[in-house]
């Protein structure tokens, strides 16, 4: 029985072991989808000669990659099955094959023909994501994408690379990025690749060109395939037969920091934070380089009236103008303030009584009288409790008059009542008693006569001020002085003898100033006729009394009447000679374009053919348009009528791939002025496609030249291209313009590829093999260089005719270009110990370079060009004129060589005064500067100097009409002094880190343009 049990247990254990071995021996299926996204845009196709060769190399790389994707077991546990698909793209996308077998995909790869237009990677990634979602071979398959591109993009029509790549990652697509060659935009490639970049980007490259020939980069293929297999094993490997739940293991050690995760979705908008503290004020920027003067454009048409502009910034302080002529005699000044009130005079004799006056007119109603006295107090009633104020009730009906009650105690004063209606005229009051006549006051002494003021210059009338607010009502004026004595009245009856009056003055006083007009008094009662008194005896003659204390100053009186014209003034000093007729004409010629000379090239038709392909780029395309505008600016005005037989007409053709050509026609009726042509050129937009140069030449002739050319006009064509044209274009059209021998063609090639013989030959074919008509340059920026514009101007218009208006005074103006403008430059060199020997040497070298760079005057009598002087200064008593104003370069050079460093302190104010008195104006009064020359002071200092006489020195420089320029090196400077010396114009302060920068081209040329 026991043996039977043992046999049964063995059978059961064997069956269990056999079932478990069968389940563990089963391989896990792991399908993988790989999708290739290949760039065949123009930047890839034309990167290597011949055009399209790099695309062929990428096709070989892709085919080799797919051939190495073999279905096989991996590590004996995972069965990997590959499915492949892909697309290639440029401006559009073209499917190579859907996800499926390798054979179908390889066939599709071999049939690729590059698209050769713009590069839109974001749209290609979006299309790739869509295809992989709809064509997945198995729901459990792993998704990999291999993107082969150079990272350069033309635009972002589909949201941008980063957005498109994130959407692909959201669909669990792992993106490997392979650079086509080493010529890539690494930032764009890393935006495509998954994280970490060391796995999905690394340094993967499809084609290696470093050996001078194209070779497939096999290590990239092997590394990506190995990485895909490892990821597949990690995802697909599972052993369910061994999955038995064991005891919980110990907590493991903290792992290494994981790789940076993918960018998360944007979070919710946070709450507004508190306002940040103000940042640290940044340093004051250095003044920018003064731009070169542009060429004067044609006079534009009269535009519509513009809106009022905003107020401009204050301009630089101008130099003091010439002394003006003596002005006309001004109007008399306002009447002076009244003099102090004199002491009261003694009362005079009583005059005779006058005749009775006639009845006056009825006067105006008087003011309301003052309230009468309070009535008698009534018996005090009991004091009631104070009640709370009630709300005002509705007005009640008028009650019957009540009986008069006894007067109560005085209540609390009520609020002031509203004004009642104006009352009617009351009845005349009773005639009051005649008042006593008041004593007449003494007349005030006359004020002292003021000194005659100096005559002021006649000022320009100021702008009319805004009306002032209405003033408050004035106070009642003081009582006026008694009026003049009336006519003598009839003799009255003799009155009683009066008292003796106080002694009077022995001389009549002067009439005092008129007082303010008083208000009209109330009409007094009519008095009765008085008796005539006896004439009083003469008073005792008294001596003059002591002078009284001056009274308070009175308010200014009203403006008096205009006085009589004064005498003519004495003749003033002789003024400077005024502007002559020629000076006025020269000024007009400098400031008004109507007097400029004009260049005319005869009957001329110019056609520009400019490259607008993707490889040019938006910035360089803008430079091409600027080149066209700058060239036409040199050729004078355009023909007003495009159908005219004379004048200049301009056309433009921009080209990319076939069917995208755009043109500005020669005979466009809208192009009748320079401004209209500039607007049309600026509206041209970058096409960003392929390069079809031969077809563009044919288009230019067929659509612009052949049917619209003028019989007597010269035709010139200027062609600009950046590289090879698309091989699908017909290269026989390169010489299409040469079939007409009357057309002058110039070809401009930009880029280093034109150093190759075969590429330069294509330019010669465009230019019809003519010498001097093929021009090359490394960068597009060289197109707008002044030297190149000069060269093109001579090619387009070799024999211009200069037409000037018939004006008087055709001599050269006093202010001409940089090389002719008269300027006297005085260098003020700081010789203090802060300068140092080495910096002092660099400053002298800078001055000598300036002297060699400027065009110096031809002699002492030359009224144009430049002269230089140098003054070195130290302490208040150390100033040394190293050389006076001179045009002799030998004197300047020898003097600079013998200049000794003072190594002293610094007193800039005294130095300026010394320069004015010893360089500009000699002690005997002789002025050394030329009449029409600008006086330029150039201070080489850090501004740390003594403040003694600094204000006087700046004032002396102003009087000498000096224009300051300051060169301040280093960061340890006194900004207050620099601002004062530069007359507040900080743009006239040239700065640098140290003195070595003074002789560098950028700083030196900027200084020369400023001085000019």
């Amino acid at each position: 029985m026991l043996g039977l049990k043992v046999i049964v247990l063995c059978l059961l254990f064997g069956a269990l072991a056999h079932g478990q071995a069968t389940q563990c021996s089963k391989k896990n299926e792991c399908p993988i989808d790989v999708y290739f996204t290949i760039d065949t845009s123009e930047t890839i196709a034309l990167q290597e000669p011949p055009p399209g060769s790099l695309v062929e190399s990428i096709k070989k790389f892709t085919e080799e990659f797919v051939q190495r994707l073999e279905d096989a077991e991996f590590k004996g546990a995972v069965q990997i099955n590959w499915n492949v698909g892909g697309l290639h793209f440029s401006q559009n996308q073209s499917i190579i094959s859907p996800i499926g077998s390798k054979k179908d995909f390889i066939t599709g790869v071999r049939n690729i023909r590059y698209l050769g237009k713009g590069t839109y990677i974001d749209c290609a990634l979006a299309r790739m994501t869509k295809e992989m979602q709809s064509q997945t071979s198995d729901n459990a398959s792993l998704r990999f994408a291999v993107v082969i591109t150079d990272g350069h993009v033309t635009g972002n029509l589909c949201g941008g690379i980063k957005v498109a790549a994130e959407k692909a990652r959201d669909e669990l697509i792992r993106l490997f990025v392979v650079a086509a060659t080493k010529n890539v935009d690494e930032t764009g490639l890393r935006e495509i690749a998954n994280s970490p970049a060391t796995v999905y980007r690394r340094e993967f490259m499809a084609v290696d060109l470093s050996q001078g020939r194209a070779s497939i980069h096999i290590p990239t293929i092997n590394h990506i395939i190995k990485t895909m297999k490892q990821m597949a094993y990690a995802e697909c490997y599972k052993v369910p037969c061994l999955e038995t739940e064991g005891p919980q293991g110990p907590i493991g050690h903290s792992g290494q920091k994981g790789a940076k995760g993918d960018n998360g979705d944007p979070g919710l908008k946070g709450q507004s934070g508190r306002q940040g503290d103000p940042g640290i004020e940044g340093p004051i920027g250095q003044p920018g380089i003064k731009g070169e003067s542009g060429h004067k454009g044609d006079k534009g048409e009269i535009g519509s009236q513009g809106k009022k502009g905003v107020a401009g910034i204050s301009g630089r302080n101008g130099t003091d103008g010439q002394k003006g002529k003596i002005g006309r005699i001004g109007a008399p000044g306002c009447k002076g303030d009244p003099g102090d009130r004199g002491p009261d005079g003694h009362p005079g004799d009583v005059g005779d009584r006058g005749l009775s006056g006639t009845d006056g007119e009825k006067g105006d109603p008087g003011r309301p009288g003052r309230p009468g006295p309070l009535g008698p107090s009534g018996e005090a009633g009991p004091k009631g409790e104070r009640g709370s104020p009630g709300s005002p009730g509705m007005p009640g009906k008028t009650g019957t008059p009540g009986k008069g009650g006894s007067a109560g105690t005085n209540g609390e004063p009520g609020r002031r009542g509203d004004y009642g209606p104006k009352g009617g005229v009351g009845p005349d009051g009773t005639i009051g008693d005649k008042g006593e006549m008041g004593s007449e006051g003494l007349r005030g002494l006359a004020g002292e006569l003021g000194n005659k003021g100096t005559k002021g210059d006649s000022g320009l009338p100021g702008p009319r001020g805004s009306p002032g607010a209405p003033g408050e009502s004035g106070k009642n004026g003081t009582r006026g002085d008694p009026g003049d004595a009336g006519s003598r009245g009839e003799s009255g009856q003799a009155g009683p003898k009066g008292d003796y009056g106080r002694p009077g003055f022995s001389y009549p006083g002067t009439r005092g100033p008129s007082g303010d007009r008083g208000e009209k008094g109330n009409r007094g009662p009519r008095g009765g006729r008085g008796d005539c008194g006896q004439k009083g005896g003469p008073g005792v003659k008294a001596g003059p009394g002591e002078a009284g204390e001056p009274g308070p100053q009175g308010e200014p009186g009203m403006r008096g009447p205009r006085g009589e014209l004064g005498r003519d003034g004495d003749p003033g000093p002789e003024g400077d000679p005024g502007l002559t007729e020629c000076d006025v004409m020269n000024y007009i010629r400098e400031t008004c374009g109507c007097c400029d000379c004009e260049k005319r090239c005869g009957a001329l038709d110019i056609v520009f053919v400019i490259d607008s392909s993707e490889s040019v780029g938006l910035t360089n395309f803008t430079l091409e348009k600027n080149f066209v505008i700058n060239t036409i600016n040199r050729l004078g005005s355009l023909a007003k009528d495009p159908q005219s037989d004379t004048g200049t007409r301009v056309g433009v053709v921009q080209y990319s791939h076939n069917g995208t050509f755009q043109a500005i026609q020669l005979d466009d009726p809208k192009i009748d002025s320079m401004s209209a042509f500039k607007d049309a050129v600026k509206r041209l937009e970058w096409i960003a496609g392929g390069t079809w140069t031969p077809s563009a030449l044919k288009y230019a002739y067929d659509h612009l030249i052949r049917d619209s050319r003028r019989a007597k006009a010269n035709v010139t064509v200027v062609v600009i291209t950046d590289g090879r044209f698309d091989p699908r274009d017909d290269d026989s059209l390169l010489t299409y313009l040469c079939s007409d021998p009357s057309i002058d063609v110039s070809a401009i090639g930009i880029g280093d590829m034109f150093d190759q013989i075969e590429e330069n030959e294509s330019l010669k074919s465009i230019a019809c093999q003519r010498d001097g008509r093929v021009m090359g340059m490394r960068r597009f920026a060289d197109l707008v260089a002044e030297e190149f514009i000069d060269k093109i101007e001579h090619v387009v218009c070799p024999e211009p005719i200069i037409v000037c208006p018939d004006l008087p005074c055709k001599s050269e103006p006093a202010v001409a270009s940089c090389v002719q403008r008269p300027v006297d430059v005085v260098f003020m060199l700081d010789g203090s110990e802060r300068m140092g020997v080495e910096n002092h040497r660099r400053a002298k070298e800078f001055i000598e370079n300036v002297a060699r760079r400027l065009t110096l005057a031809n002699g002492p009598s030359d009224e144009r060009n430049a002269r230089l002087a140098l003054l070195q200064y130290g302490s208040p008593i150390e100033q040394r004129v190293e050389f006076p104003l001179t045009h002799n370069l030998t004197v300047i050079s020898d003097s600079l060589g013998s200049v000794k460093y003072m190594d002293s302190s610094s007193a800039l104010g005294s130095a300026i005064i010394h320069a004015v008195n010893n360089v500009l104006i000699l002690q005997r009064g002789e002025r050394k500067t030329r009449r029409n020359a600008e006086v330029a002071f150039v201070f080489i200092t850090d501004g740390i100097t003594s403040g003694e006489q600094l204000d006087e020195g700046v004032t002396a420089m102003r009087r000498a009409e000096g224009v300051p320029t300051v060169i301040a090196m280093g960061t340890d400077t006194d900004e207050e002094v620099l601002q004062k010396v530069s007359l507040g114009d900080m743009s006239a302060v040239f700065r640098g880190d140290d003195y070595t920068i003074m002789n560098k081209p950028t700083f030196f040329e900027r200084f020369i343009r400023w001085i000019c």
Side-chain angles (χ1 to χ4, degrees):
M1 190 66 178
L2 180 61
L4 182 58
K5 290 181 179 179
V6 171
I7 293 172
V8 171
L9 288 174
C10 290
L11 290 174
L12 290 174
F13 179 78
L16 180 63
H18 177 72
Q20 186 177 16
T22 302
Q23 186 177 8
C24 289
S25 62
K26 182 179 180 181
K27 302 296 187 296
N28 293 315
E29 297 291 335
C30 193
I32 300 177
D33 293 344
V34 181
Y35 204 88
F36 288 87
T37 306
I38 304 172
D39 186 351
T40 60
S41 63
E42 187 190 39
T43 54
I44 297 292
L46 302 185
Q47 194 172 129
E48 286 299 314
S53 61
L54 181 58
V55 175
E56 295 299 323
S57 300
I58 293 175
K59 288 163 59 177
K60 293 179 181 178
F61 170 85
T62 306
E63 185 175 345
E64 180 65 26
F65 195 118
V66 175
Q67 293 287 8
R68 292 174 180 257
L69 299 178
E70 298 179 354
D71 298 344
E73 293 183 1
F74 186 69
K75 294 186 179 181
V78 175
Q79 177 64 38
I80 296 178
N81 299 316
W82 302 93
N83 298 286
V84 188
L87 60 82
H88 67 104
F89 69 93
S90 175
Q91 186 171 336
N92 300 313
Q93 305 86 37
S94 179
I95 301 298
I96 300 173
S97 75
I99 297 176
S101 66
K102 295 189 297 182
K103 180 179 179 181
D104 294 341
F105 178 77
I106 292 174
T107 302
V109 169
R110 292 173 180 173
N111 294 329
I112 289 178
R113 296 292 180 267
Y114 72 87
L115 302 176
K117 296 182 181 179
T119 308
Y120 296 90
I121 299 177
D122 54 344
C123 295
L125 295 177
R127 180 70 181 277
M128 176 267 295
T129 304
K130 179 180 178 181
E131 294 294 327
M132 293 195 74
Q133 284 180 295
S134 61
Q135 300 175 12
T136 302
S137 59
D138 192 317
N139 293 331
S141 61
L142 301 180
R143 299 174 181 174
F144 294 99
V146 179
V147 182
I148 305 174
T149 183
D150 59 359
H152 297 287
V153 296
T154 303
N156 298 311
L157 298 180
C158 300
I161 295 177
K162 184 176 292 186
V163 173
E166 287 295 336
K167 291 181 179 179
R169 284 189 277 271
D170 291 341
E171 299 298 330
L172 303 180
I173 301 174
R174 297 173 173 87
L175 300 172
F176 288 90
V177 180
V178 179
T181 62
K182 290 184 178 180
N183 182 17
V184 295
D185 179 6
E186 189 62 35
T187 302
L189 298 182
R190 289 183 177 270
E191 286 182 350
I192 301 172
N194 276 39
S195 297
T198 53
V199 175
Y200 292 94
R201 170 65 190 101
R202 204 175 176 89
E203 294 181 354
F204 298 143
M205 181 172 57
V207 182
D208 187 3
L209 302 175
S210 60
Q211 304 299 324
R213 59 183 181 84
S215 61
I216 306 303
H217 200 256
I218 299 300
T220 294
I221 298 176
N222 293 335
H223 195 283
I224 293 177
I225 293 177
K226 181 179 178 181
T227 303
M228 289 180 179
K229 289 181 178 180
Q230 293 288 353
M231 292 181 178
Y233 179 76
E235 291 285 340
C236 300
Y237 178 60
K238 295 178 181 179
V239 190
C241 63
L242 300 179
E243 292 178 353
T244 56
E245 184 175 358
Q248 184 175 2
I251 298 175
H253 299 290
S254 300
Q256 296 180 351
K257 183 178 180 180
K260 184 178 180 181
D262 296 337
N263 294 333
D265 295 330
L268 297 176
K269 183 176 181 181
Q271 297 179 353
S272 300
R274 67 176 184 87
Q275 185 175 1
D277 298 330
I280 301 175
E281 183 177 359
I284 300 175
Q286 298 184 1
I289 299 176
K290 184 178 180 182
E292 299 180 359
S293 300
H295 298 284
K296 194 172 190 68
D298 293 334
K299 183 176 180 182
E301 298 175 352
I302 298 175
S304 59
Q305 183 175 2
K307 298 179 180 179
K308 183 176 180 181
V310 296
I313 58 176
S314 301
R316 295 177 54 189
N317 293 333
T319 58
D320 295 337
Q322 297 181 352
K323 183 176 181 180
K325 297 180 180 180
I326 298 175
R328 295 181 300 175
I329 297 174
C334 299
K335 184 176 180 180
D337 297 332
D340 298 331
R341 182 179 180 86
D344 295 334
H346 297 288
D349 298 334
V350 178
D352 298 333
R353 183 175 182 82
L355 297 174
S356 59
T358 60
D359 292 340
E361 296 177 358
K362 185 177 181 179
D364 297 330
R367 294 182 177 178
R370 297 180 179 179
L374 298 176
S377 300
E379 296 178 1
K383 185 175 182 180
E385 295 181 358
R386 184 175 181 179
S388 59
S391 58
M394 296 294 291
K397 297 181 180 179
T398 304
T400 58
K403 295 180 180 180
S406 59
T409 58
N410 292 337
E412 294 181 359
R415 67 177 182 85
R416 182 177 181 180
D418 299 327
Y419 289 106
K422 184 176 181 180
V425 179
D428 293 341
T430 58
I431 298 175
D433 296 334
K434 180 178 180 181
E436 296 180 357
M437 180 179 292
S439 61
E440 181 179 359
L442 294 177
R443 301 182 186 276
L445 297 176
E448 296 181 359
L449 294 176
N451 296 328
K452 184 178 180 179
T454 58
K455 179 182 177 181
D457 296 335
S458 299
L460 297 175
R464 183 180 181 87
S466 58
E472 298 178 355
S473 301
K475 299 178 180 179
N476 294 338
T478 58
R479 183 174 181 179
D481 294 334
D484 296 333
S487 59
R488 183 179 182 84
E490 295 178 357
S491 299
Q493 295 178 1
K497 187 174 181 179
D499 297 331
Y500 287 102
R502 288 184 296 173
F505 291 99
S506 60
Y507 58 89
T510 58
R511 181 181 177 87
S514 300
D516 295 334
R517 184 180 181 88
E519 294 183 356
K520 188 170 184 179
N522 298 329
R523 181 180 181 186
R526 182 176 180 182
R529 182 171 181 177
D531 297 332
C532 295
Q534 294 181 354
K535 184 175 182 179
V540 180
K541 185 175 181 181
E546 297 180 357
E549 294 291 333
Q553 184 175 357
E555 297 181 357
M558 298 179 64
R559 183 183 181 95
R562 178 182 293 272
E564 298 179 356
L565 294 176
R567 67 177 184 86
D568 294 339
D570 298 330
E574 183 178 356
D576 295 334
L579 295 176
T580 65
E581 181 182 359
C582 291
D583 291 335
V584 175
M585 290 305 302
N586 288 335
Y587 176 78
I588 294 174
R589 187 176 293 121
E590 295 160 22
T591 57
C592 174
C594 58
C595 300
D596 290 341
C597 297
E598 182 182 4
K599 176 184 291 185
R600 295 181 182 176
C601 300
L604 179 63
D605 287 346
I606 308 173
V607 177
F608 292 91
V609 183
I610 59 177
D611 191 347
S612 185
S613 61
E614 183 209 9
S615 56
V616 170
L618 179 58
T619 300
N620 293 334
F621 179 68
T622 303
L623 290 173
E624 287 181 312
K625 295 193 294 183
N626 291 341
F627 162 74
V628 173
I629 293 175
N630 293 347
T631 302
I632 298 304
N633 277 337
R634 298 286 191 92
L635 304 181
S637 59
L638 300 182
K640 298 295 182 184
D641 182 8
Q643 304 300 328
S644 174
D645 293 334
T646 60
T648 302
R649 301 188 310 173
V650 189
V652 180
V653 174
Q654 69 157 338
Y655 70 92
S656 184
H657 52 273
N658 194 21
T660 60
F661 304 147
Q662 298 177 7
I664 299 174
Q665 298 292 336
L666 284 170
D667 55 356
D668 189 341
K670 298 179 181 178
I671 308 298
D672 57 355
S673 65
M674 184 65 72
S675 59
F677 174 74
K678 291 179 181 179
D679 291 340
V681 173
K682 292 177 181 179
R683 285 196 299 268
L684 294 177
E685 295 184 357
W686 178 41
I687 300 175
T691 307
W692 292 60
T693 308
S695 296
L697 300 178
K698 182 178 185 300
Y699 180 90
Y701 183 81
D702 293 345
H703 292 80
L704 272 75
I705 300 175
R706 182 178 60 192
D707 298 330
S708 63
R709 67 179 302 175
R710 297 174 292 178
K712 298 180 181 180
N714 297 325
V715 180
T716 300
V717 179
V718 180
V719 183
I720 306 174
T721 181
D722 76 327
R724 308 169 186 89
F725 56 88
D726 196 303
R728 291 172 290 183
D729 200 2
D730 186 0
D731 58 357
S732 65
L733 298 178
L734 285 175
T735 59
Y736 194 81
L737 295 174
C738 304
S739 59
D740 190 337
S742 64
I743 300 178
D744 185 9
V745 185
S746 297
I748 303 174
I750 304 174
D752 55 3
M753 63 181 60
F754 292 105
D755 294 339
Q756 302 176 16
I757 297 177
E758 62 274 12
E759 300 301 336
N760 197 37
E761 285 297 325
S762 64
L763 288 180
K764 290 182 178 179
S765 299
I766 295 173
C768 306
Q769 305 297 330
R770 293 187 58 186
D771 296 335
R773 291 296 185 264
V774 175
M775 291 159 276
M777 56 186 63
R778 298 284 183 178
R779 303 170 304 162
F780 277 87
D782 296 335
L783 271 175
V784 293
E786 290 294 323
E787 297 81 2
F788 187 72
I789 298 293
D790 293 339
K791 184 176 181 180
I792 287 294
E793 178 187 4
H794 180 71
V795 170
V796 174
C797 185
E799 297 179 355
I801 300 174
I802 307 300
V803 179
C804 295
D806 188 13
L807 298 173
C809 311
K810 292 185 179 179
S811 60
E812 290 292 333
V815 179
S817 61
C818 172
V819 295
Q820 294 183 341
R821 186 167 69 89
V823 56
D824 289 338
V825 184
V826 181
F827 284 93
M828 306 289 293
L829 179 59
D830 189 349
S832 66
E833 60 183 1
R834 289 179 55 85
M835 172 71 74
V837 177
E838 187 62 23
N839 291 335
H840 193 266
R841 182 190 64 78
R842 293 192 179 101
K844 292 189 297 182
E845 181 180 341
F846 171 77
I847 296 172
E848 184 172 357
N849 290 338
V850 171
R852 297 182 183 278
R853 177 69 170 78
L854 294 175
T855 301
L856 300 180
N858 296 325
S861 60
D862 189 359
E863 292 295 326
R864 295 184 296 178
N865 303 320
R867 298 191 305 170
L868 273 66
L870 172 63
L871 183 141
Q872 184 183 188
Y873 64 94
S875 66
I877 59 173
E878 290 181 286
Q879 299 94 22
R880 191 164 63 225
V881 179
E882 305 293 354
F883 56 88
L885 285 169
T886 179
H887 63 279
N888 193 326
L889 183 59
T890 303
V891 172
I892 296 174
S893 180
D894 294 343
S895 300
L896 286 171
S898 61
V899 171
K900 302 298 182 182
Y901 175 43
M902 285 185 174
D903 193 15
S904 179
S905 58
S906 176
L908 181 57
S910 303
I912 298 175
I913 297 173
H914 187 84
V916 172
N917 295 334
N918 295 273
V919 179
L920 305 184
I921 303 173
L922 302 183
Q923 296 293 340
R924 56 182 179 272
E926 180 184 358
R927 187 176 180 90
K928 300 300 293 181
T929 57
R930 294 170 290 178
R931 174 171 170 265
N932 294 323
E934 176 185 299
V935 180
F937 281 79
V938 180
F939 301 93
I940 304 179
T941 179
D942 56 8
I944 299 178
T945 183
S946 171
E948 184 180 358
Q949 289 190 310
L950 183 60
D951 292 333
E952 292 85 348
V954 173
T955 303
M957 180 176 65
R958 285 182 183 271
R959 288 202 193 99
E961 301 179 354
V963 179
T965 301
V966 183
I967 299 177
M969 294 294 143
T971 56
D972 186 13
T973 58
D974 190 334
E975 296 299 317
E976 183 178 355
V977 172
L978 297 182
Q979 185 173 11
K980 183 178 294 184
V981 173
S982 64
L983 302 182
D985 183 11
M986 298 306 290
S987 63
V989 180
F990 287 67
R991 302 178 186 272
D993 295 333
D994 52 45
Y995 282 84
T996 59
I997 200 174
M998 293 175 66
N999 293 300
K1000 291 186 177 180
T1002 53
F1003 182 93
F1004 184 80
E1005 291 300 326
R1006 186 162 64 92
F1007 175 82
I1008 292 296
R1009 288 194 297 271
W1010 176 267
I1011 288 295
C1012 288

